[in-house]
Amino acid sequence: DAKTTQPNSMESNEEEPVHLPCNHSTISGTDYIHWYRQLPSQGPEYVIHGLTSNVNNRMASLAIAEDRKSSTLILHRATLRDAAVYYCILGAGGYQKVTFGTGTKLQVIP
Amino acid sequence: KAGVTQTPRYLIKTRGQQVTLSCSPISGHRSVSWYQQTPGQGLQFLFEYFSETQRNKGNFPGRFSGRQFSNSRSEMNVSTLELGDSALYLCASSLVDTTDTQYFGPGTRLTVL
């Protein structure tokens, strides 16, 4: 199964951009890259996902390396509500199991 | 749309007992996945069900089992509970499979004494 590697923790100042990296060197061609975040005492919530091209939505942007062996979640302006554990996940769907990364705990400093 | 619901939210059991957790997915979602979350191991995939069939299974012992009903509701069962089974058990539903967005429930906090 493909694995992901993320830094254990990161800090950011409020209203500054945050770049959260994820390495997935053994990703297969059909694996989608998903990002979820988990706020304290809650289940994870979806942030963004992509396959090959960079993706943007109202919450964040996802930059995927050309060789797909790494990706970066970009929060354009961190707020205190963005303090959470961010998970990078690979999933191919169907009969492929989901592999969770270690997660990065993001601390946002006022 | 109502979100994913899980019952019960909290549960306390003793070693050797068994437990059944329930998950109701978002209406129209046919895929239900279960995860175990512990401080030491993080989020680990247990299994995924689609159309009442287990489509995939994580690396957990046979004491962990599940099923899905025709209305897509799912249950997971843990038999012969061990102290190490204390964890937050999360259920997630998606339209078809895990390439789709997964919507997680709030989880069931299981404590084994």
Side-chain angles (χ1 to χ4, degrees):
Chain A
D1 301 324
K3 303 295 183 187
T4 63
T5 304
Q6 301 174 253
N8 287 333
S9 62
M10 291 185 65
E11 282 185 359
S12 173
N13 293 320
E14 196 176 8
E15 298 190 4
E16 289 188 355
V18 184
H19 291 234
L20 298 167
C22 180
N23 288 320
H24 28 78
S25 58
T26 58
I27 191 172
S28 71
T30 55
D31 281 338
Y32 280 78
I33 302 160
H34 298 251
W35 284 81
Y36 288 79
R37 70 181 185 183
Q38 187 172 22
L39 301 170
S41 303
Q42 294 186 24
E45 64 173 352
Y46 169 82
V47 177
I48 199 167
H49 78 284
L51 184 61
T52 56
S53 304
N54 294 343
V55 184
N56 300 295
N57 66 20
R58 62 176 181 82
M59 288 181 70
S61 295
L62 176 60
I64 301 173
E66 194 169 335
D67 62 7
R68 300 208 329 124
K69 293 185 176 181
S70 65
S71 61
T72 302
L73 177 70
I74 303 165
L75 306 179
H76 297 286
R77 288 183 66 212
T79 68
L80 296 178
R81 292 185 67 249
D82 291 324
V85 178
Y86 287 78
Y87 291 98
C88 169
I89 300 164
L90 302 182
Y95 286 86
Q96 301 300 314
K97 67 180 67 174
V98 174
T99 304
F100 268 75
T102 53
T104 296
K105 185 173 184 178
L106 176 65
Q107 182 180 0
V108 180
I109 302 168
Chain B
K1 269 187 182 178
V4 177
T5 58
Q6 292 186 246
T7 56
R9 291 292 311 278
Y10 302 92
L11 206 49
I12 299 175
K13 292 286 187 179
T14 57
R15 279 179 297 176
Q17 288 187 307
Q18 74 167 18
V19 66
T20 299
L21 311 181
S22 181
C23 171
S24 292
I26 290 173
S27 176
H29 285 194
R30 297 171 63 190
S31 169
V32 174
S33 298
W34 288 90
Y35 298 87
Q36 181 195 65
Q37 186 172 34
T38 60
Q41 298 295 322
L43 265 161
Q44 292 187 287
F45 174 77
L46 278 158
F47 27 65
E48 186 223 356
Y49 286 87
F50 177 82
S51 291
E52 302 178 65
T53 300
Q54 186 182 87
R55 191 156 57 177
N56 215 320
K57 190 177 191 301
N59 299 323
F60 280 82
R63 299 186 297 106
F64 292 82
S65 63
R67 59 178 176 169
Q68 186 181 33
F69 302 96
S70 58
N71 61 359
S72 293
R73 191 176 68 85
S74 178
E75 289 181 347
M76 68 162 283
N77 184 276
V78 188
S79 62
T80 319
L81 283 166
E82 301 176 359
L83 295 178
D85 297 333
S86 295
L88 180 67
Y89 290 88
L90 292 159
C91 165
S93 76
S94 58
L95 277 172
V96 176
D97 59 33
T98 51
T99 57
D100 303 313
T101 298
Q102 293 189 72
Y103 294 86
F104 284 81
T108 293
R109 173 73 62 185
L110 172 65
T111 301
V112 182
L113 301 176

